[in-house]
Amino acid sequence: MTHVPPPAEELRLIDAELWRLDARRVQLLTRRAWLVGHLSSLPQPAPVPAGAMPAPHRPETTAPRVQNVLLLLGGLLLTIAAIAFTVVSWGHLGIAGRSLALGAVTVAVMAASLPLLGRGLRSTAEAVAGLGLALTVLDAYALHAAALTGVDARVYAAWTSAVLAALWTGYGRLPRLRTLRLPLPAALTAAQLPLPLGAVAAGTGPYGITGALLVTAAIDTVVALRAPAGAVRITAAVGAYGVGAWGSLGAVWLSWTAGGPGAGARAAALLLFAAGVASAAACRDRAAGHAVGLSLTVGLLAVTALGGIVRPALPPAWTVPAHLAFGIALLAAVRADRLPGRVRRGLGLASAVVQGLAVLWALPLLALTLFGPAGWALRVWSGAPGGARQAVSVGASWLPQTQAAPLALAAVAAVLALAVRDAAWRPRALLGVLVLGWSALMVVPVVLDVPYWAALMSEVPATAGLLLLATRRRAAWSTGPFPTLVLALVTSVSLALLSLPTRSATVGVLTVLTVLFAAASGKERLATVTVPAALGYGAAWACAVGAAAGWAPPHTALLVFLVPAVAALTAARAAGVRTTLAVEMTGAAAGLLAIALAVGDPAMLCLVLSLAAVIAAGTALRADRRPAAHAAAALLALAAWVRLSAWGVTAPEAYTAPLSVPALLTGALRRRRDPRASSWVAYGPGLAAMLVPSLAAAWTDAYATRPWLLGAAALLVTLVGARYRLRAPLLLGGGVLVLDALHELAPYLVQLAGLLPRWVPPALAGLLLLAVGATYEQRLRNVRRARDVLGRMN
């Protein structure tokens, strides 16, 4: 609320203030010289330490802010008092008293700004003027409540807002009051109401109300473009954007809900009027900073208007393509040299927005085409569906409103191919052409509802073509072959899902996909993706062939195990590290699948585990894969245990002890030759072969002989590990000892739990938590010490 004078007046004030400062500076320098001469003859006091000097209090706010807050609070309090008087005490006065009281107070308050301005109190005059404007609103309310009660409130509000806007404008235009900044913005704010309120009072309906909003926004636009910089322009701009947005949204809603060509034409007229106002504003130099946004709005409003005219005459499926056609037509205006560059850029963005919305509209149909066939996973080989739509919409509903999606996708792809010529954006445009063209081709069979076999066969050449395109290195494709490869993978997954209804289709499609990706693996830059894909489809093919032949899952596991063997051979010859890792992970996943299939048959599971051990041992022959030997040993031991379980052996020690003793001796010899060898490598396999099968047998043994003997052996191993500070014997022996002790104490723990009251376990848990919390730091120190001791062991 602090007043800023005009530049000439401000310059005069600054010059006068500088003259006063110069005069005051000369006076102070003279006084300082006299004080220095007078004090030089007096004894000097002791210097005060810097820390003993009290810090001066710094003000937390400035004087203008304090002034503005006080004036604002005073104006608000007076306004509240006036409202209370009008609402509460109004009825205690007669007609003359009411008119005299409010009229006198209003005139006095509004006239008080003149002497205040004459004395230079501009901020106070602003506050008093604001109070006067509020009083005029109360006057209008009082007039309606006292003398014009029969007038409709909506009509009265429309006329009152117009009168107040004119009154405040005249008040702010008075010669001596033009320096006030509040009346004119307030008048412009009040001017937003007459036309919309008048339309509501006249009962013109949604079209009339929307038109009133748009006309009001047009008036605000004219004021914003012609008014000088200041509060009036800001208020007009806010009104133009706010009221114009409401009017435009209302017109868009009317266009989309129009039931016939006439209603669509009326809504289009409103939209084109709003577009014309925004276009006129965008072409003005004063609106240069907003030209792009205004032009974007113009393009969207024009597309909505023209599309709304033809929409009622078209089927619902063609609504979006019709709007897309008008959006593409905007590109003709983009190439018009007569328009400013900012306007053409905004129209281009509007066309891009329309095309992007059309693509988003087509995405649900594409998603249904690609992933809808996943519903056949619950109905495998249940019979061929009647057509492509039934094949992709199993378990989901069909989308009839998106039948024109291929046309929309193809149109946007054509625009990208023909319109984007910039060297920097050309590769991205070509990538968009590829994705959109692929999307259109994928949904065409579904839209046409071709027979099931035709839809199935249409995706086979699509996958092959994408893989062939990925193998070709194109200079224009700066993004590389991986986008094309990703599209090929997605198409292949959709094809595999689509083949699930029939047995022959599943086996044939998986065979073709395995061959295609294996053939594409000849390119080294694609092998990281194509080799794992070929192995994955190969594993799926093996499962499908086994199921088609009527084999049991354990026998199918042998066929699936061809995939890990091929993966191991391929990984040994792979060139890149990433390719090797991807292939080995795929082979390991296929191996786990084979093991899961063979779980039901112990004899077959033993064979599968033995084959897995052989593959792991062969992998360990490579210098960079030596740790695979541990996996081979574990798999071989697990296979032996499964075989013993299959034979019904109840005393596994007779088989494990003869094997564990040579293993331990071999480990001891290695430790003697290489003292740096880890105890896990030297003694881990032998100890595991000796202790783990016995622990499994003791866990189900009803007698105490084996658990006691196993506990004694585990205790001995633990003590040996502690004596020689070896990690493997210490941890393996201790772990087996703890598990064996828990097995022995389990019956007594169960009985004890049945005898204890129910409150005892929570109480014990609470005490345990308190004890742990109280000694947390000491426990951490002990854990660190134990970790250091184990770390120093071999």
Side-chain angles (χ1 to χ4, degrees):
M1 295 175 62
T2 301
H3 177 70
V4 179
E9 179 67 16
E10 185 177 3
L11 181 60
R12 186 185 64 80
L13 294 175
I14 291 174
D15 290 339
E17 188 66 25
L18 290 175
W19 182 85
R20 294 191 192 95
L21 290 176
D22 290 339
R24 182 61 176 167
R25 186 172 184 276
V26 172
Q27 181 183 359
L28 292 176
L29 288 175
T30 304
R31 181 63 178 172
R32 181 180 181 278
W34 182 85
L35 290 174
V36 170
H38 179 71
L39 293 177
S40 59
S41 59
L42 297 179
Q44 300 294 327
V48 180
M53 294 292 292
H57 293 285
R58 298 181 59 186
E60 296 182 353
T61 184
T62 61
R65 291 184 179 179
V66 175
Q67 163 194 302
N68 293 338
V69 171
L70 294 177
L71 293 175
L72 180 61
L73 291 177
L76 289 176
L77 291 176
L78 289 175
T79 304
I80 293 172
I83 294 173
F85 167 76
T86 305
V87 176
V88 178
S89 301
W90 182 256
H92 300 290
L93 300 176
I95 297 295
R98 299 171 187 177
S99 303
L100 181 62
L102 274 181
V105 171
T106 303
V107 172
V109 170
M110 297 186 72
S113 300
L114 292 173
L116 292 174
L117 288 175
R119 295 190 177 188
L121 303 176
R122 300 182 183 277
S123 298
T124 307
E126 291 280 0
V128 173
L131 177 60
L133 298 181
L135 287 175
T136 57
V137 178
L138 293 177
D139 289 338
Y141 164 75
L143 181 62
H144 182 267
L148 302 175
T149 54
V151 179
D152 184 75
R154 295 174 295 181
V155 176
Y156 184 78
W159 281 104
T160 300
S161 58
V163 172
L164 288 178
L167 177 63
W168 293 348
T169 302
Y171 180 73
R173 288 291 184 180
L174 291 177
R176 296 185 58 184
L177 298 178
R178 289 183 178 179
T179 56
L180 295 178
R181 295 179 297 171
L182 185 60
L184 292 181
L188 189 58
T189 303
Q192 310 300 310
L193 302 177
L195 290 179
L197 291 179
V200 173
T204 57
Y207 289 94
I209 297 174
T210 304
L213 289 173
L214 293 177
V215 172
T216 303
I219 297 173
D220 291 334
T221 303
V222 174
V223 175
L225 293 176
R226 298 179 64 88
V232 175
R233 182 190 292 183
I234 295 175
T235 306
V238 172
Y241 280 114
V243 179
W246 277 109
S248 300
L249 290 177
V252 170
W253 178 78
L254 292 174
S255 177
W256 278 96
T257 57
R266 290 196 298 270
L270 295 174
L271 289 169
L272 291 177
F273 173 77
V277 174
S279 176
C283 294
R284 293 293 296 269
D285 294 335
R286 183 170 287 186
H290 305 266
V292 176
L294 291 172
S295 302
L296 171 64
T297 305
V298 169
L300 295 178
L301 291 177
V303 169
T304 306
L306 298 176
I309 295 175
V310 300
R311 185 192 60 80
L314 295 175
W318 290 92
T319 300
V320 174
H323 286 79
L324 176 61
F326 292 116
I328 295 175
L330 283 178
L331 296 177
V334 175
R335 298 185 177 275
D337 297 333
R338 294 178 298 175
L339 295 177
R342 293 182 295 269
V343 175
R344 288 188 281 121
R345 189 180 307 115
L347 294 176
L349 289 176
S351 178
V353 169
V354 174
Q355 296 178 58
L357 293 176
V359 172
L360 291 178
W361 167 74
L363 284 183
L365 180 59
L366 178 63
L368 180 65
T369 302
L370 295 177
F371 306 111
W376 291 106
L378 303 177
R379 309 176 186 180
V380 177
W381 298 350
S382 59
R389 293 183 184 178
Q390 184 182 355
V392 302
S393 61
V394 55
S397 59
W398 171 242
L399 304 174
Q401 68 276 11
T402 58
Q403 292 184 1
L407 180 60
L409 294 172
V412 177
V415 170
L416 288 178
L418 300 176
V420 180
R421 296 296 181 182
D422 185 75
W425 288 91
R426 184 65 177 173
R428 304 174 188 176
L430 292 178
L431 178 59
V433 170
L434 173 66
V435 175
L436 293 173
W438 167 79
S439 303
L441 291 176
M442 291 295 293
V443 299
V444 163
V446 180
V447 171
L448 298 179
D449 197 16
V450 300
Y452 168 70
W453 291 103
L456 188 67
M457 291 297 102
S458 66
E459 295 190 8
V460 175
T463 305
L466 288 170
L467 287 175
L468 181 62
L469 186 60
T471 58
R472 307 297 183 190
R473 184 182 296 276
R474 300 288 184 89
W477 294 78
S478 60
T479 54
F482 288 100
T484 311
L485 193 57
V486 170
L487 295 180
L489 280 174
V490 174
T491 308
S492 66
V493 171
S494 175
L495 177 59
L497 295 175
L498 196 61
S499 66
L500 294 178
T502 63
R503 180 183 290 105
S504 58
T506 303
V507 176
V509 165
L510 291 177
T511 303
V512 171
L513 291 178
T514 304
V515 173
L516 286 177
F517 280 95
S521 301
K523 296 293 182 179
E524 181 179 340
R525 64 180 185 275
L526 306 180
T528 305
V529 178
T530 55
V531 174
L535 293 174
Y537 285 123
W541 172 84
C543 294
V545 169
W551 296 352
H555 295 85
T556 305
L558 293 177
L559 187 60
V560 175
F561 223 85
L562 292 175
V563 176
V566 175
L569 296 175
T570 306
R573 302 179 59 183
V577 177
R578 293 182 180 179
T579 303
T580 302
L581 183 60
V583 171
E584 289 177 344
M585 292 178 64
T586 307
L592 292 177
L593 175 61
I595 293 173
L597 291 174
V599 167
D601 189 344
M604 194 63 64
L605 179 60
C606 174
L607 178 59
V608 170
L609 290 173
S610 300
L611 293 175
V614 172
I615 294 175
T619 303
L621 296 176
R622 294 158 48 194
D624 56 340
R625 292 293 185 268
R626 298 299 187 197
H630 305 296
L635 289 171
L636 189 59
L638 186 60
W641 299 340
V642 170
R643 173 54 64 184
L644 294 177
S645 175
W647 285 341
V649 175
T650 57
E653 293 82 4
Y655 300 91
T656 58
L659 295 177
S660 59
V661 172
L664 292 174
L665 293 177
T666 303
L669 292 176
R670 180 172 181 179
R671 287 274 298 174
R672 178 175 297 180
R673 295 178 181 177
D674 185 9
R676 294 178 299 179
S678 173
S679 60
W680 288 106
V681 177
Y683 304 116
L687 292 175
M690 178 177 64
L691 297 176
V692 175
S694 298
L695 178 63
W699 199 261
T700 58
D701 197 345
Y703 302 98
T705 304
R706 178 179 281 112
W708 281 101
L709 294 176
L710 177 62
L715 177 61
L716 178 61
V717 170
T718 304
L719 294 176
V720 170
R723 170 65 181 83
Y724 293 100
R725 303 177 66 182
L726 298 176
R727 189 179 301 175
L730 179 64
L731 296 182
L732 282 175
V736 172
L737 181 61
V738 170
L739 293 176
D740 185 65
L742 287 177
H743 172 263
E744 292 300 304
L745 293 176
Y748 303 101
L749 294 177
V750 172
Q751 294 178 4
L752 182 61
L755 296 176
L756 290 177
R758 293 187 176 182
W759 59 266
V760 173
L764 294 177
L767 291 176
L768 177 62
L769 291 176
L770 289 177
V772 172
T775 59
Y776 187 71
E777 185 176 2
Q778 181 64 33
R779 296 297 182 271
L780 288 178
R781 188 179 298 110
N782 295 339
V783 170
R784 295 190 188 98
R785 187 180 298 112
R787 184 189 61 188
D788 295 338
V789 171
L790 290 175
R792 290 192 295 270
M793 294 182 181
N794 288 323

PDB file of all heavy atoms in Angstrom, residues 71 144 174 179 238 305 340 353 359 379 397 436 532 576 584 669 702 704 741:
ATOM      1  N   LEU A  71      -2.501   0.147   8.540  1.00  0.00           N
ATOM      2  CA  LEU A  71      -3.573   0.673   7.694  1.00  0.00           C
ATOM      3  C   LEU A  71      -4.524  -0.435   7.251  1.00  0.00           C
ATOM      4  O   LEU A  71      -5.744  -0.236   7.198  1.00  0.00           O
ATOM      5  CB  LEU A  71      -2.972   1.381   6.476  1.00  0.00           C
ATOM      6  CG  LEU A  71      -2.194   2.670   6.775  1.00  0.00           C
ATOM      7  CD1 LEU A  71      -1.562   3.202   5.503  1.00  0.00           C
ATOM      8  CD2 LEU A  71      -3.106   3.724   7.392  1.00  0.00           C
ATOM      9  N   HIS A 144     -31.334  -2.657  -1.368  1.00  0.00           N
ATOM     10  CA  HIS A 144     -32.180  -3.789  -1.765  1.00  0.00           C
ATOM     11  C   HIS A 144     -32.965  -4.336  -0.579  1.00  0.00           C
ATOM     12  O   HIS A 144     -34.141  -4.719  -0.710  1.00  0.00           O
ATOM     13  CB  HIS A 144     -31.312  -4.889  -2.378  1.00  0.00           C
ATOM     14  CG  HIS A 144     -32.097  -6.069  -2.860  1.00  0.00           C
ATOM     15  ND1 HIS A 144     -32.323  -7.182  -2.078  1.00  0.00           N
ATOM     16  CD2 HIS A 144     -32.723  -6.316  -4.041  1.00  0.00           C
ATOM     17  CE1 HIS A 144     -33.044  -8.063  -2.743  1.00  0.00           C
ATOM     18  NE2 HIS A 144     -33.302  -7.562  -3.953  1.00  0.00           N
ATOM     19  N   LEU A 174     -11.153  10.759 -11.164  1.00  0.00           N
ATOM     20  CA  LEU A 174     -11.163  12.155 -10.744  1.00  0.00           C
ATOM     21  C   LEU A 174      -9.754  12.727 -10.790  1.00  0.00           C
ATOM     22  O   LEU A 174      -8.767  12.008 -10.503  1.00  0.00           O
ATOM     23  CB  LEU A 174     -11.747  12.274  -9.336  1.00  0.00           C
ATOM     24  CG  LEU A 174     -13.252  11.965  -9.210  1.00  0.00           C
ATOM     25  CD1 LEU A 174     -13.682  12.038  -7.750  1.00  0.00           C
ATOM     26  CD2 LEU A 174     -14.069  12.914 -10.065  1.00  0.00           C
ATOM     27  N   THR A 179      -4.062   9.195  -8.648  1.00  0.00           N
ATOM     28  CA  THR A 179      -2.874   8.527  -8.092  1.00  0.00           C
ATOM     29  C   THR A 179      -3.236   7.315  -7.228  1.00  0.00           C
ATOM     30  O   THR A 179      -2.346   6.536  -6.870  1.00  0.00           O
ATOM     31  CB  THR A 179      -2.057   9.530  -7.265  1.00  0.00           C
ATOM     32  OG1 THR A 179      -2.909  10.091  -6.245  1.00  0.00           O
ATOM     33  CG2 THR A 179      -1.517  10.641  -8.148  1.00  0.00           C
ATOM     34  N   VAL A 238      -5.556 -11.259 -15.349  1.00  0.00           N
ATOM     35  CA  VAL A 238      -6.089 -12.342 -14.512  1.00  0.00           C
ATOM     36  C   VAL A 238      -7.543 -12.623 -14.878  1.00  0.00           C
ATOM     37  O   VAL A 238      -7.977 -13.779 -14.997  1.00  0.00           O
ATOM     38  CB  VAL A 238      -5.951 -11.974 -13.027  1.00  0.00           C
ATOM     39  CG1 VAL A 238      -6.675 -12.997 -12.149  1.00  0.00           C
ATOM     40  CG2 VAL A 238      -4.483 -11.911 -12.632  1.00  0.00           C
ATOM     41  N   ALA A 305     -13.807 -26.934 -32.026  1.00  0.00           N
ATOM     42  CA  ALA A 305     -14.984 -26.345 -32.671  1.00  0.00           C
ATOM     43  C   ALA A 305     -15.324 -27.061 -33.966  1.00  0.00           C
ATOM     44  O   ALA A 305     -16.486 -27.469 -34.193  1.00  0.00           O
ATOM     45  CB  ALA A 305     -14.728 -24.860 -32.929  1.00  0.00           C
ATOM     46  N   PRO A 340       3.573 -14.696 -37.201  1.00  0.00           N
ATOM     47  CA  PRO A 340       4.809 -14.603 -36.402  1.00  0.00           C
ATOM     48  C   PRO A 340       5.307 -15.987 -35.998  1.00  0.00           C
ATOM     49  O   PRO A 340       4.545 -16.961 -35.928  1.00  0.00           O
ATOM     50  CB  PRO A 340       4.370 -13.776 -35.184  1.00  0.00           C
ATOM     51  CG  PRO A 340       3.140 -13.046 -35.620  1.00  0.00           C
ATOM     52  CD  PRO A 340       2.459 -13.945 -36.603  1.00  0.00           C
ATOM     53  N   VAL A 353      -0.288 -31.813 -29.672  1.00  0.00           N
ATOM     54  CA  VAL A 353      -1.133 -32.240 -28.554  1.00  0.00           C
ATOM     55  C   VAL A 353      -2.310 -33.068 -29.059  1.00  0.00           C
ATOM     56  O   VAL A 353      -2.655 -34.115 -28.486  1.00  0.00           O
ATOM     57  CB  VAL A 353      -1.618 -31.011 -27.762  1.00  0.00           C
ATOM     58  CG1 VAL A 353      -2.701 -31.407 -26.767  1.00  0.00           C
ATOM     59  CG2 VAL A 353      -0.452 -30.366 -27.031  1.00  0.00           C
ATOM     60  N   VAL A 359      -3.169 -40.741 -30.099  1.00  0.00           N
ATOM     61  CA  VAL A 359      -2.380 -41.946 -29.832  1.00  0.00           C
ATOM     62  C   VAL A 359      -2.762 -42.545 -28.480  1.00  0.00           C
ATOM     63  O   VAL A 359      -2.892 -43.776 -28.345  1.00  0.00           O
ATOM     64  CB  VAL A 359      -0.881 -41.602 -29.902  1.00  0.00           C
ATOM     65  CG1 VAL A 359      -0.035 -42.782 -29.432  1.00  0.00           C
ATOM     66  CG2 VAL A 359      -0.485 -41.224 -31.319  1.00  0.00           C
ATOM     67  N   ARG A 379      -6.777 -71.344 -19.701  1.00  0.00           N
ATOM     68  CA  ARG A 379      -7.584 -72.211 -20.559  1.00  0.00           C
ATOM     69  C   ARG A 379      -6.724 -72.821 -21.666  1.00  0.00           C
ATOM     70  O   ARG A 379      -7.101 -72.809 -22.841  1.00  0.00           O
ATOM     71  CB  ARG A 379      -8.730 -71.418 -21.192  1.00  0.00           C
ATOM     72  CG  ARG A 379      -9.562 -70.620 -20.205  1.00  0.00           C
ATOM     73  CD  ARG A 379     -10.614 -69.797 -20.918  1.00  0.00           C
ATOM     74  NE  ARG A 379     -11.338 -68.920 -20.022  1.00  0.00           N
ATOM     75  CZ  ARG A 379     -12.306 -68.089 -20.391  1.00  0.00           C
ATOM     76  NH1 ARG A 379     -12.655 -68.039 -21.682  1.00  0.00           N
ATOM     77  NH2 ARG A 379     -12.908 -67.322 -19.514  1.00  0.00           N
ATOM     78  N   SER A 397     -13.455 -57.203 -21.845  1.00  0.00           N
ATOM     79  CA  SER A 397     -14.509 -56.702 -22.721  1.00  0.00           C
ATOM     80  C   SER A 397     -13.899 -56.077 -23.967  1.00  0.00           C
ATOM     81  O   SER A 397     -12.815 -55.495 -23.926  1.00  0.00           O
ATOM     82  CB  SER A 397     -15.354 -55.664 -21.979  1.00  0.00           C
ATOM     83  OG  SER A 397     -14.544 -54.585 -21.538  1.00  0.00           O
ATOM     84  N   LEU A 436       4.660 -46.425 -34.171  1.00  0.00           N
ATOM     85  CA  LEU A 436       3.266 -46.223 -34.530  1.00  0.00           C
ATOM     86  C   LEU A 436       2.826 -47.142 -35.666  1.00  0.00           C
ATOM     87  O   LEU A 436       1.705 -47.678 -35.652  1.00  0.00           O
ATOM     88  CB  LEU A 436       3.041 -44.755 -34.913  1.00  0.00           C
ATOM     89  CG  LEU A 436       3.195 -43.738 -33.782  1.00  0.00           C
ATOM     90  CD1 LEU A 436       3.117 -42.326 -34.321  1.00  0.00           C
ATOM     91  CD2 LEU A 436       2.141 -43.966 -32.717  1.00  0.00           C
ATOM     92  N   PRO A 532      19.216 -65.236 -24.825  1.00  0.00           N
ATOM     93  CA  PRO A 532      18.300 -65.608 -23.728  1.00  0.00           C
ATOM     94  C   PRO A 532      16.862 -65.811 -24.200  1.00  0.00           C
ATOM     95  O   PRO A 532      16.158 -66.686 -23.684  1.00  0.00           O
ATOM     96  CB  PRO A 532      18.418 -64.433 -22.755  1.00  0.00           C
ATOM     97  CG  PRO A 532      19.757 -63.844 -23.028  1.00  0.00           C
ATOM     98  CD  PRO A 532      19.951 -64.005 -24.494  1.00  0.00           C
ATOM     99  N   GLY A 576      30.805 -61.225 -25.274  1.00  0.00           N
ATOM    100  CA  GLY A 576      30.664 -60.163 -24.284  1.00  0.00           C
ATOM    101  C   GLY A 576      30.357 -60.694 -22.905  1.00  0.00           C
ATOM    102  O   GLY A 576      29.786 -61.777 -22.726  1.00  0.00           O
ATOM    103  N   GLU A 584      23.910 -67.426 -18.953  1.00  0.00           N
ATOM    104  CA  GLU A 584      24.029 -68.297 -17.781  1.00  0.00           C
ATOM    105  C   GLU A 584      22.827 -68.154 -16.848  1.00  0.00           C
ATOM    106  O   GLU A 584      22.349 -69.149 -16.287  1.00  0.00           O
ATOM    107  CB  GLU A 584      25.313 -67.965 -17.032  1.00  0.00           C
ATOM    108  CG  GLU A 584      26.567 -68.399 -17.782  1.00  0.00           C
ATOM    109  CD  GLU A 584      27.838 -67.997 -17.065  1.00  0.00           C
ATOM    110  OE1 GLU A 584      27.758 -67.140 -16.162  1.00  0.00           O
ATOM    111  OE2 GLU A 584      28.911 -68.521 -17.422  1.00  0.00           O
ATOM    112  N   LEU A 669      45.228 -82.239   2.849  1.00  0.00           N
ATOM    113  CA  LEU A 669      46.399 -82.158   1.973  1.00  0.00           C
ATOM    114  C   LEU A 669      46.466 -80.809   1.254  1.00  0.00           C
ATOM    115  O   LEU A 669      47.545 -80.228   1.103  1.00  0.00           O
ATOM    116  CB  LEU A 669      46.350 -83.298   0.948  1.00  0.00           C
ATOM    117  CG  LEU A 669      46.546 -84.706   1.526  1.00  0.00           C
ATOM    118  CD1 LEU A 669      46.384 -85.758   0.436  1.00  0.00           C
ATOM    119  CD2 LEU A 669      47.952 -84.827   2.157  1.00  0.00           C
ATOM    120  N   ALA A 702      12.820 -91.493  15.639  1.00  0.00           N
ATOM    121  CA  ALA A 702      12.074 -91.562  16.900  1.00  0.00           C
ATOM    122  C   ALA A 702      12.947 -91.972  18.078  1.00  0.00           C
ATOM    123  O   ALA A 702      12.521 -91.839  19.231  1.00  0.00           O
ATOM    124  CB  ALA A 702      10.908 -92.544  16.759  1.00  0.00           C
ATOM    125  N   ALA A 704      16.756 -92.022  20.290  1.00  0.00           N
ATOM    126  CA  ALA A 704      17.711 -91.010  20.731  1.00  0.00           C
ATOM    127  C   ALA A 704      19.148 -91.352  20.362  1.00  0.00           C
ATOM    128  O   ALA A 704      20.048 -90.536  20.588  1.00  0.00           O
ATOM    129  CB  ALA A 704      17.617 -90.813  22.251  1.00  0.00           C
ATOM    130  N   ALA A 741      20.143 -80.095  19.108  1.00  0.00           N
ATOM    131  CA  ALA A 741      19.658 -79.836  20.470  1.00  0.00           C
ATOM    132  C   ALA A 741      18.212 -79.351  20.458  1.00  0.00           C
ATOM    133  O   ALA A 741      17.398 -79.735  21.314  1.00  0.00           O
ATOM    134  CB  ALA A 741      20.557 -78.797  21.141  1.00  0.00           C
TER     135      ALA A 741
END
